[in-house]
PDB file of all heavy atoms in Angstrom:
ATOM      1  N   LEU A 277      -7.632 -49.132  69.662  1.00 97.00           N
ATOM      2  CA  LEU A 277      -8.549 -50.266  69.568  1.00 97.00           C
ATOM      3  C   LEU A 277      -7.829 -51.606  69.612  1.00 97.00           C
ATOM      4  O   LEU A 277      -8.397 -52.616  70.034  1.00 97.00           O
ATOM      5  CB  LEU A 277      -9.334 -50.189  68.248  1.00 97.00           C
ATOM      6  CG  LEU A 277     -10.413 -49.123  68.125  1.00 97.00           C
ATOM      7  CD1 LEU A 277     -10.946 -49.072  66.700  1.00 97.00           C
ATOM      8  CD2 LEU A 277     -11.563 -49.442  69.084  1.00 97.00           C
ATOM      9  N   ARG A 278      -6.597 -51.599  69.166  1.00 97.00           N
ATOM     10  CA  ARG A 278      -5.880 -52.831  68.872  1.00 97.00           C
ATOM     11  C   ARG A 278      -5.959 -53.888  69.983  1.00 97.00           C
ATOM     12  O   ARG A 278      -6.509 -54.976  69.786  1.00 97.00           O
ATOM     13  CB  ARG A 278      -4.424 -52.514  68.549  1.00 97.00           C
ATOM     14  CG  ARG A 278      -3.658 -53.706  68.058  1.00 97.00           C
ATOM     15  CD  ARG A 278      -2.226 -53.385  67.729  1.00 97.00           C
ATOM     16  NE  ARG A 278      -1.570 -54.626  67.375  1.00 97.00           N
ATOM     17  CZ  ARG A 278      -1.605 -55.166  66.157  1.00 97.00           C
ATOM     18  NH1 ARG A 278      -2.247 -54.572  65.187  1.00 97.00           N
ATOM     19  NH2 ARG A 278      -1.005 -56.313  65.915  1.00 97.00           N
ATOM     20  N   GLU A 279      -5.455 -53.533  71.156  1.00 96.00           N
ATOM     21  CA  GLU A 279      -5.359 -54.536  72.220  1.00 96.00           C
ATOM     22  C   GLU A 279      -6.726 -55.052  72.657  1.00 96.00           C
ATOM     23  O   GLU A 279      -6.941 -56.255  72.789  1.00 96.00           O
ATOM     24  CB  GLU A 279      -4.638 -53.934  73.413  1.00 96.00           C
ATOM     25  CG  GLU A 279      -3.349 -54.662  73.718  1.00 96.00           C
ATOM     26  CD  GLU A 279      -2.584 -53.970  74.802  1.00 96.00           C
ATOM     27  OE1 GLU A 279      -2.993 -54.118  75.965  1.00 96.00           O
ATOM     28  OE2 GLU A 279      -1.620 -53.258  74.473  1.00 96.00           O
ATOM     29  N   LYS A 280      -7.648 -54.096  72.853  1.00 97.00           N
ATOM     30  CA  LYS A 280      -8.988 -54.485  73.315  1.00 97.00           C
ATOM     31  C   LYS A 280      -9.689 -55.350  72.274  1.00 97.00           C
ATOM     32  O   LYS A 280     -10.387 -56.304  72.615  1.00 97.00           O
ATOM     33  CB  LYS A 280      -9.812 -53.248  73.626  1.00 97.00           C
ATOM     34  CG  LYS A 280      -9.369 -52.597  74.916  1.00 97.00           C
ATOM     35  CD  LYS A 280     -10.247 -51.425  75.269  1.00 97.00           C
ATOM     36  CE  LYS A 280      -9.736 -50.796  76.559  1.00 97.00           C
ATOM     37  NZ  LYS A 280     -10.101 -49.419  76.694  1.00 97.00           N
ATOM     38  N   LEU A 281      -9.482 -55.021  71.020  1.00 97.00           N
ATOM     39  CA  LEU A 281     -10.128 -55.796  69.961  1.00 97.00           C
ATOM     40  C   LEU A 281      -9.540 -57.211  69.885  1.00 97.00           C
ATOM     41  O   LEU A 281     -10.266 -58.193  69.719  1.00 97.00           O
ATOM     42  CB  LEU A 281      -9.980 -55.085  68.609  1.00 97.00           C
ATOM     43  CG  LEU A 281     -10.656 -55.771  67.425  1.00 97.00           C
ATOM     44  CD1 LEU A 281     -12.155 -55.938  67.633  1.00 97.00           C
ATOM     45  CD2 LEU A 281     -10.418 -54.997  66.126  1.00 97.00           C
ATOM     46  N   GLN A 282      -8.224 -57.305  70.053  1.00 96.00           N
ATOM     47  CA  GLN A 282      -7.594 -58.637  70.037  1.00 96.00           C
ATOM     48  C   GLN A 282      -8.211 -59.526  71.120  1.00 96.00           C
ATOM     49  O   GLN A 282      -8.542 -60.683  70.875  1.00 96.00           O
ATOM     50  CB  GLN A 282      -6.090 -58.507  70.279  1.00 96.00           C
ATOM     51  CG  GLN A 282      -5.326 -58.191  69.016  1.00 96.00           C
ATOM     52  CD  GLN A 282      -3.868 -57.885  69.286  1.00 96.00           C
ATOM     53  OE1 GLN A 282      -3.510 -57.460  70.393  1.00 96.00           O
ATOM     54  NE2 GLN A 282      -3.027 -58.083  68.300  1.00 96.00           N
ATOM     55  N   LYS A 283      -8.401 -58.940  72.306  1.00 95.00           N
ATOM     56  CA  LYS A 283      -9.000 -59.705  73.412  1.00 95.00           C
ATOM     57  C   LYS A 283     -10.429 -60.084  73.079  1.00 95.00           C
ATOM     58  O   LYS A 283     -10.865 -61.210  73.315  1.00 95.00           O
ATOM     59  CB  LYS A 283      -8.983 -58.867  74.695  1.00 95.00           C
ATOM     60  CG  LYS A 283      -7.639 -58.867  75.371  1.00 95.00           C
ATOM     61  CD  LYS A 283      -7.729 -58.277  76.764  1.00 95.00           C
ATOM     62  CE  LYS A 283      -6.312 -58.000  77.256  1.00 95.00           C
ATOM     63  NZ  LYS A 283      -6.190 -56.721  77.934  1.00 95.00           N
ATOM     64  N   GLU A 284     -11.148 -59.125  72.513  1.00 94.00           N
ATOM     65  CA  GLU A 284     -12.549 -59.358  72.160  1.00 94.00           C
ATOM     66  C   GLU A 284     -12.651 -60.490  71.132  1.00 94.00           C
ATOM     67  O   GLU A 284     -13.510 -61.370  71.242  1.00 94.00           O
ATOM     68  CB  GLU A 284     -13.122 -58.063  71.581  1.00 94.00           C
ATOM     69  CG  GLU A 284     -14.614 -58.009  71.460  1.00 94.00           C
ATOM     70  CD  GLU A 284     -15.327 -57.958  72.804  1.00 94.00           C
ATOM     71  OE1 GLU A 284     -15.020 -57.066  73.605  1.00 94.00           O
ATOM     72  OE2 GLU A 284     -16.162 -58.846  73.031  1.00 94.00           O
ATOM     73  N   ILE A 285     -11.755 -60.479  70.148  1.00 94.00           N
ATOM     74  CA  ILE A 285     -11.785 -61.531  69.117  1.00 94.00           C
ATOM     75  C   ILE A 285     -11.496 -62.889  69.758  1.00 94.00           C
ATOM     76  O   ILE A 285     -12.186 -63.871  69.482  1.00 94.00           O
ATOM     77  CB  ILE A 285     -10.783 -61.228  67.980  1.00 94.00           C
ATOM     78  CG1 ILE A 285     -11.229 -59.988  67.198  1.00 94.00           C
ATOM     79  CG2 ILE A 285     -10.658 -62.410  67.016  1.00 94.00           C
ATOM     80  CD1 ILE A 285     -10.201 -59.451  66.209  1.00 94.00           C
ATOM     81  N   ALA A 286     -10.488 -62.921  70.632  1.00 93.00           N
ATOM     82  CA  ALA A 286     -10.143 -64.178  71.306  1.00 93.00           C
ATOM     83  C   ALA A 286     -11.346 -64.682  72.093  1.00 93.00           C
ATOM     84  O   ALA A 286     -11.680 -65.883  72.048  1.00 93.00           O
ATOM     85  CB  ALA A 286      -8.944 -63.961  72.226  1.00 93.00           C
ATOM     86  N   ASN A 287     -12.044 -63.790  72.793  1.00 92.00           N
ATOM     87  CA  ASN A 287     -13.242 -64.185  73.546  1.00 92.00           C
ATOM     88  C   ASN A 287     -14.313 -64.737  72.628  1.00 92.00           C
ATOM     89  O   ASN A 287     -14.920 -65.764  72.894  1.00 92.00           O
ATOM     90  CB  ASN A 287     -13.845 -62.970  74.279  1.00 92.00           C
ATOM     91  CG  ASN A 287     -13.041 -62.643  75.510  1.00 92.00           C
ATOM     92  OD1 ASN A 287     -12.313 -63.493  76.009  1.00 92.00           O
ATOM     93  ND2 ASN A 287     -13.159 -61.411  75.976  1.00 92.00           N
ATOM     94  N   LEU A 288     -14.524 -64.026  71.548  1.00 92.00           N
ATOM     95  CA  LEU A 288     -15.595 -64.429  70.627  1.00 92.00           C
ATOM     96  C   LEU A 288     -15.325 -65.797  70.017  1.00 92.00           C
ATOM     97  O   LEU A 288     -16.243 -66.583  69.790  1.00 92.00           O
ATOM     98  CB  LEU A 288     -15.742 -63.395  69.500  1.00 92.00           C
ATOM     99  CG  LEU A 288     -16.450 -62.097  69.889  1.00 92.00           C
ATOM    100  CD1 LEU A 288     -16.321 -61.064  68.780  1.00 92.00           C
ATOM    101  CD2 LEU A 288     -17.924 -62.358  70.173  1.00 92.00           C
TER     102      LEU A 288
END
Side-chain angles (χ1 to χ4, degrees):
L277 288 172
R278 188 179 175 84
E279 242 174 76
K280 286 184 181 156
L281 182 59
Q282 276 173 335
K283 280 192 193 138
E284 194 69 55
I285 293 170
N287 283 340
L288 284 170

